[in-house]
Amino acid sequence: AQSVTQPDIHITVSEGASLELRCNYSYGATPYLFWYVQSPGQGLQLLLKYFSGDTLVQGIKGFEAEFKRSQSSFNLRKPSVHWSDAAEYFCAVGGYGGSQGNLIFGKGTKLSVKP
Amino acid sequence: EPEVTQTPSHQVTQMGQEVILRCVPISNHLYFYWYRQILGQKVEFLVSFYNNEISEKSEIFDDQFSVERPDGSNFTLKIRSTKLEDSAMYFCASSGRAYGHTEAFFGQGTRLTVV
């Protein structure tokens, strides 16, 4: 069955520290992978996406993610976290073609940032 | 920057009543989606819509739900007889091309509260 696992429900990091949010997926075909961020009371904003090519993808707000097919992972990283990064982060997987918007989301990781 | 807009931002309704959630997708997009997020849970796919018909739907999207694109700009989700468990944030999304590399853009959501 297709699924996305985000093993960390809540992570707290200090401002300026590095961050890695984990995401593992199970998908039968070539996956298209996404990270979305949701600030309190807001919608979902796309941080970055992987479709093909270079397995290290850069996104907005200084985030990057690395696709590792052998580990079925797509972990999100940021070298130095800012207080404004406090939000909930969702990893999602989708398919090619018309079903690209039929995304399967993980349960999310809530990020708190300590001053 | 083009965006997906949803109205209303918050809707309170009595159990058993019909509600219509409205969305204006990005103007040149071809695929439209509804997702929901029950409080504290993950975002779940409900339905995708292309070429004036449903292209895919999840188990959640039962007979009480329907979608419509009544004109060239709006995309609506109707819940015929709301239940308490329909209380959730409902997200509309749209994506560009039918095939190829394109991601879904999400609206800010409509929070539906059934009392």
Side-chain angles (χ1 to χ4, degrees):
Chain A
Q2 300 165 355
S3 66
V4 175
T5 301
Q6 292 180 249
D8 304 305
I9 297 171
H10 191 183
I11 284 182
T12 300
V13 300
S14 297
E15 191 168 16
S18 64
L19 171 71
E20 182 169 25
L21 302 182
R22 296 182 290 166
C23 172
N24 292 96
Y25 67 89
S26 172
Y27 198 77
T30 301
Y32 289 77
L33 296 156
F34 308 84
W35 275 99
Y36 284 87
V37 61
Q38 184 182 31
S39 298
Q42 301 296 309
L44 296 163
Q45 181 183 23
L46 181 69
L47 281 176
L48 47 77
K49 59 185 183 283
Y50 172 78
F51 289 135
S52 64
D54 193 345
T55 55
L56 183 65
V57 293
Q58 303 296 321
I60 61 171
K61 304 184 182 186
F63 285 92
E64 66 179 26
E66 186 171 13
F67 170 57
K68 293 185 178 180
R69 185 185 297 275
S70 62
Q71 298 177 19
S72 297
S73 69
F74 189 57
N75 294 347
L76 181 72
R77 300 194 293 250
K78 185 169 184 178
S80 177
V81 168
H82 187 262
W83 64 267
S84 61
D85 293 324
E88 189 147 22
Y89 291 80
F90 294 92
C91 180
V93 64
Y96 180 78
S99 64
Q100 280 187 48
N102 302 6
L103 299 173
I104 299 167
F105 282 84
K107 291 187 176 181
T109 298
K110 185 176 179 181
L111 174 66
S112 298
V113 181
K114 291 190 299 186
Chain B
E1 186 177 323
E3 60 181 16
V4 176
T5 56
Q6 291 184 242
T7 55
S9 57
H10 191 186
Q11 171 115 30
V12 180
T13 189
Q14 287 198 325
M15 192 170 54
Q17 295 296 305
E18 174 184 286
V19 294
I20 297 176
L21 309 182
R22 303 181 190 279
C23 169
V24 179
I26 294 173
S27 63
N28 61 350
H29 281 184
L30 299 175
Y31 271 87
F32 314 109
Y33 313 88
W34 283 101
Y35 287 79
R36 79 171 185 192
Q37 183 184 30
I38 295 172
L39 187 64
Q41 299 188 25
K42 65 180 176 180
V43 178
E44 301 172 290
F45 168 75
L46 291 178
V47 65
S48 61
F49 191 86
Y50 171 70
N51 199 25
N52 287 318
E53 61 182 22
I54 291 173
S55 53
E56 192 169 341
K57 60 183 181 179
S58 72
E59 293 175 351
I60 303 167
F61 194 87
D62 60 23
D63 291 343
Q64 70 160 341
F65 291 95
S66 62
V67 290
E68 193 178 32
R69 190 156 160 80
D71 53 43
S73 60
N74 290 283
F75 179 52
T76 62
L77 174 70
K78 182 193 289 186
I79 308 175
R80 269 183 261 285
S81 178
T82 50
K83 297 178 282 202
L84 294 176
E85 54 264 38
D86 294 326
S87 295
M89 181 75 90
Y90 289 81
F91 291 106
C92 174
S94 68
S95 62
R97 296 188 295 278
Y99 286 89
H101 298 171
T102 179
E103 71 269 18
F105 292 81
F106 284 77
Q108 300 283 63
T110 293
R111 179 164 297 285
L112 176 66
T113 303
V114 183
V115 297

